[in-house]
Amino acid sequence: MQDTKPYLKILLHIASSLMLAIPVLADESLDSDTPEVGFLSRTINSAESTRDDWSGRWIDFAEGVDYYFTSENSPPDYKNESYVKLQMRQTWEERGQIQNDLRVKAKFDLPNTQRRAKLFFSSDEYTENSLEERVRNNSTGERFRRRESVSGLEITPNDEWNKWKRSVRVGIKLRVPLVTFGRYRLRRPMDKWGEWEPEFTQEVWYFSDRGWGETSEFEMHRRLGSKFGLRYFTVLEFEDQNDFFENVHVLSLSQNLSKKSALEYRVGSVFSTEFSTQMTAYFAGTSYSYKLYEDWIFFTAGPEVFFPKIDGWNAEASFTIKLDVYFSE
């Protein structure tokens, strides 16, 4: 298997350069003749050049794989949506702990295939974390580990089945011995309920080292004028090896501040049937998101207060920052 360390070094180099250049990105009116600004400008220009070069290579490779499977000329409206996403996240907790995440996700789009196939890679399988961890913005201490990475094929038919959109994933965890898995997803946008736009998603999945499980998600969106939006979603998940259900409810209000920035306010609650059906935690938080540069660098920051039952409902405050960098066309 090809060593991933050289690619990670390149991604981290670009991300570090971007972090140094945040003052320039956030304030384009700075005088470029100033030595400090000139240095940072050259840094971000170098990072952008490297990013564009590797994005081009990624797309070229994906198009080559697409042509290999189909051996057909691309239509005039051909667009390859392959991408690599690098995410870095850090959380400062009230008790003095600092958690850091580093995640890498990638997709090779194969739009010429009859059933719209995609090759995918992820440095972590999201169902490894608890439902509570997945709906919160906090870091969980995830690192890029080969044994937790997953790779495989995703197939999404163009046609619908009784208004349901379908997708199938099959793949492996890159560990020894290899762990195989499969996931079948059904998604259905529903007719509007007045001003609300509901959608239901159902997943059934199986891992050879964990057994089977299912995840049901229902969400609703509603616009409130031109700048605000309301969203409610609930997720119910069952894993056979645990033999109990987890359930979360989250209500959020988003506010568009400008074309580049937005605020989100959210509250949520967590339930479990492990011992008896009961609330195990609730939380409230705010996040500020900003598009740092074009459509490929995004910054998010915000506080959260978490109240776990196991700790007597005592408040646990935290603050999280996140940087997402996309490599795509």
Side-chain angles (χ1 to χ4, degrees), residues 118-318:
K118 291 181 174 67
L119 302 174
F120 67 87
F121 169 83
S122 177
S123 62
D124 68 295
E125 165 54 38
Y126 68 88
T127 57
E128 292 286 351
N129 297 326
S130 69
L131 193 55
E132 170 200 310
E133 291 174 329
R134 301 200 311 259
V135 299
R136 298 174 60 199
N137 288 336
N138 289 31
S139 304
T140 57
E142 294 293 333
R143 291 292 187 276
F144 187 97
R145 302 184 181 93
R146 187 179 67 176
R147 67 187 309 271
E148 300 300 334
S149 301
V150 295
S151 183
L153 177 69
E154 178 180 314
I155 300 175
T156 307
N158 284 324
D159 59 317
E160 296 182 355
W161 174 67
N162 293 329
K163 298 184 179 180
W164 291 88
K165 298 180 179 180
R166 299 159 292 161
S167 65
V168 178
R169 274 193 173 193
V170 291
I172 57 172
K173 277 189 177 182
L174 306 180
R175 63 168 66 174
V176 179
L178 292 176
V179 173
T180 58
F181 72 91
R183 186 190 309 277
Y184 183 66
R185 171 183 289 184
L186 290 168
R187 183 171 63 89
R188 180 174 177 175
M190 305 170 71
D191 294 335
K192 283 189 176 183
W193 296 356
E195 298 296 326
W196 291 93
E197 299 180 8
E199 182 174 285
F200 180 76
T201 303
Q202 178 65 53
E203 285 188 348
V204 179
W205 40 268
Y206 174 83
F207 288 80
S208 59
D209 63 336
R210 294 167 54 194
W212 71 273
E214 72 86 24
T215 304
S216 305
E217 180 175 338
F218 177 75
E219 65 176 311
M220 299 188 298
H221 297 263
R222 177 176 180 174
R223 296 299 307 170
L224 300 174
S226 59
K227 292 186 176 181
F228 291 90
L230 196 61
R231 177 182 181 234
Y232 164 77
F233 74 91
T234 180
V235 183
L236 181 68
E237 185 167 271
F238 178 84
E239 186 170 353
D240 186 48
Q241 68 173 2
N242 294 334
D243 198 27
F244 62 85
F245 285 91
E246 290 184 293
N247 179 224
V248 298
H249 299 263
V250 179
L251 180 66
S252 63
L253 176 68
S254 59
Q255 177 185 6
N256 293 326
L257 301 177
S258 68
K259 292 182 178 180
K260 290 187 175 183
S261 60
L263 274 172
E264 183 188 57
Y265 315 88
R266 64 186 175 278
V267 292
S269 57
V270 184
F271 294 82
S272 173
T273 64
E274 183 173 4
F275 304 108
S276 62
T277 303
Q278 59 179 333
M279 181 188 292
T280 58
Y282 62 94
F283 59 91
T286 303
S287 61
Y288 171 79
S289 58
Y290 186 80
K291 181 163 60 174
L292 279 175
Y293 193 73
E294 295 182 351
D295 289 322
W296 59 279
I297 311 175
F298 298 87
F299 175 78
T300 306
E304 181 186 271
V305 184
F306 185 66
F307 302 86
K309 180 180 181 180
I310 195 173
D311 198 24
W313 304 109
N314 291 320
E316 298 178 2
S318 61

Side-chain angles (χ1 to χ4, degrees), residues 50 66 101 104 110 129 167 172 174 187 281 306 319 325 327:
T50 304
D66 192 19
D101 287 357
V104 178
L110 307 174
N129 297 326
S167 65
I172 57 172
L174 306 180
R187 183 171 63 89
F306 185 66
F319 185 83
V325 184
F327 296 77

